[in-house]
Amino acid sequence: TKTILKEHKYYYLGVSQFHQKKFEEAQKSFQEALSGQPSSKLKNETQSYLGKMALELKDFNQARKVFLTLEKSTRRTEQYP
């Protein structure tokens, strides 16, 4: 339970930092959220933000890499039928 709370804490911290355009801090928070074993939904949402952040930073190769990985992991699931 503590691990789940920690993952969610860092995810929401990262979301807040992302919206404040504090991308370096957000990157660290999202990586911390992924460091445990987050649920697949939390993992996918976190990776989605990492991709959006790469777009904001105009790192299009990284964004493409993140979104392709996300698409492959969610293919034929509820999130991506």
Side-chain angles (χ1 to χ4, degrees):
T1 305
K2 272 187 169 181
T3 303
I4 293 170
L5 292 175
K6 177 185 169 201
E7 292 161 356
H8 280 80
K9 174 182 89 170
Y10 282 108
Y11 168 76
Y12 286 111
L13 179 60
V15 169
S16 176
Q17 292 162 332
F18 173 86
H19 289 291
Q20 295 173 45
K21 302 206 181 289
K22 296 179 179 178
F23 298 125
E24 190 173 314
E25 294 171 29
Q27 172 84 20
K28 291 176 185 174
S29 296
F30 288 135
Q31 292 302 330
E32 191 65 36
L34 291 172
S35 70
Q37 295 202 337
S39 67
S40 60
K41 183 175 180 178
L42 181 65
K43 181 179 178 182
N44 293 340
E45 290 294 322
T46 302
Q47 289 177 328
S48 178
Y49 268 102
L50 288 170
K52 292 175 192 177
M53 191 164 38
L55 287 175
E56 288 281 331
L57 295 171
K58 301 196 183 329
D59 186 350
F60 301 115
N61 288 330
Q62 179 63 20
R64 182 178 185 275
K65 181 181 170 185
V66 170
F67 287 128
L68 283 174
T69 301
L70 182 60
E71 188 274 332
K72 286 178 186 175
S73 71
T74 59
R75 191 180 298 155
R76 295 188 181 102
T77 65
E78 283 183 31
Q79 295 175 338
Y80 189 80

